[in-house]
Amino acid sequence: MAHTITLIPGDGIGPEVSSAVVRIIEASGAEVEWETKYAGAQALEKFGSTLPDDLLESIVRNKVALKGPITTPVGKGFTSVNVGLRKTLDLYANLRPVRALPNVPCRYPELDLVVVRENTEDLYSGLEHVVVPGVVESLKIITEKASTRIARYAFEFSRREGRGKVTAVHKANIMKLSDGLFLDCFRNVSRDYPEIEADDKIVDNACMQLVMRPEQFDVMLLENLYGDIVSDLCAGLVGGLGLVPGANIGERGAVFEAVHGSAPDIAGQNVANPTALLQSGVLMLRHLGEREAAERVERAMLKVYREGKVRTRDVGGTARTNEFARAVVEAME
Ligand code: NAI
């Protein structure tokens, strides 16, 4: 049966990297149909909303979306579409697999870890107010329900993917109640998964360990703010945001996305690297149960990187976006 996928091409380089990824996925043997929808500034112009109902209904109906980057105005204008999507659809788990690619210069070519980030609460609840002029309060919300749900997600993911260890990262030595609750929930859930090692680290130490000895980590579980920061730190260990995939997953749907931005400096030049969105597409195919197609795409992509002849500008080559896509399609077995 064909899968219908909501495709949000996004802004800037979004349409270029999306069309490269669509071309590769269509060549993989997976039966997919696309429902193209708009978000952000383009949707505001066309439909009067940055997150039109039509888009949300499409994701809820199809349960899966592939999303390019969306421009977010800084300090003014509309609020982040990415945060809006996560909140509206309750996409509570943010997944960031971090693995180096052959022939891409990076600090840790052997690294292979996964960051699981709670996506709905913590300081990102947006509950801020001015107490008196000059004093602002921002509320950090941590609940037993959300902490248990994300811990279970991390262990279920580890079991499914054959990963051996989950490390909870926190600051429960200082935030004894909030991070303490997150840690308690993690420990409670871990008892249901005796085959998976469970340990924890304080976030500052975890950052130092990541830079010095990242291979000690397998799956990392973090609250929203620490997860946001640490997942980008981890991307930097293997070559940057232009390469790693991302997914936001909930009961009502899943949005697979490029974690880099819309790169206005190179938009429209056919030089963007579609690898991040492509790797998100591989995650999406696995999520859809299309394991064979996922592996075919991944093998072809790795082959192109291993051969090192067709590489985009950001990783030291001269290939254009569509040339990279063609090379991956031609490398498919
Ligand atoms: P950015 O990620 O768009 O660009 C940073 C640098 O990385 C630029 O030099 C760019 O050319 C390069 N780059 C990014 N992706 C690349 C790719 N696939 N291939 C080759 N080079 C690539 O970050 P920036 O400039 O901070 O943000 C631009 C816009 O994107 C902003 O409006 C921001 O809000 C938005 N943004 C959206 C995200 C999303 O939708 N998930 C995530 C991050 C930023």
Side-chain angles (χ1 to χ4, degrees), residues 234-249:
C234 288
L237 299 176
V238 297
L241 288 180
L243 303 169
V244 293
N248 297 290
I249 297 172

Side-chain angles (χ1 to χ4, degrees), residues 10-14 17 67-74 78 80-82 86 232 241-243 248 257-267 271-277 312-315 321:
D11 302 316
I13 58 170
V17 292
K67 186 181 96 36
I70 309 250
T71 299
T72 306
V74 177
F78 57 83
S80 162
V81 165
N82 301 313
R86 288 171 198 170
D232 278 15
L241 288 180
L243 303 169
N248 297 290
E257 65 177 354
V259 292
H260 57 73
S262 53
D265 54 334
I266 56 165
V271 295
N273 187 348
T275 300
L277 192 64
T312 46
R313 206 164 71 180
D314 57 310
V315 288
T321 312

Side-chain angles (χ1 to χ4, degrees), residues 123-187:
L123 280 158
Y124 288 41
S125 304
L127 298 172
E128 293 188 314
H129 61 268
V130 177
V131 181
V132 291
V135 181
V136 169
E137 191 172 42
S138 186
L139 299 180
K140 168 164 169 148
I141 308 292
I142 299 293
T143 66
E144 185 179 341
K145 188 172 165 218
S147 303
T148 301
R149 177 166 78 162
I150 195 68
R152 195 158 296 285
Y153 180 88
F155 281 100
E156 283 294 321
F157 171 86
S158 303
R159 183 176 269 174
R160 205 168 53 239
E161 299 291 323
R163 292 197 170 253
K165 182 163 88 168
V166 182
T167 304
V169 176
H170 59 87
K171 191 81 187 174
N173 53 328
I174 304 294
M175 277 162 280
K176 294 181 195 296
L177 288 181
S178 52
D179 285 17
L181 176 60
F182 185 81
L183 189 56
D184 282 348
C185 294
F186 165 76
R187 287 183 174 144

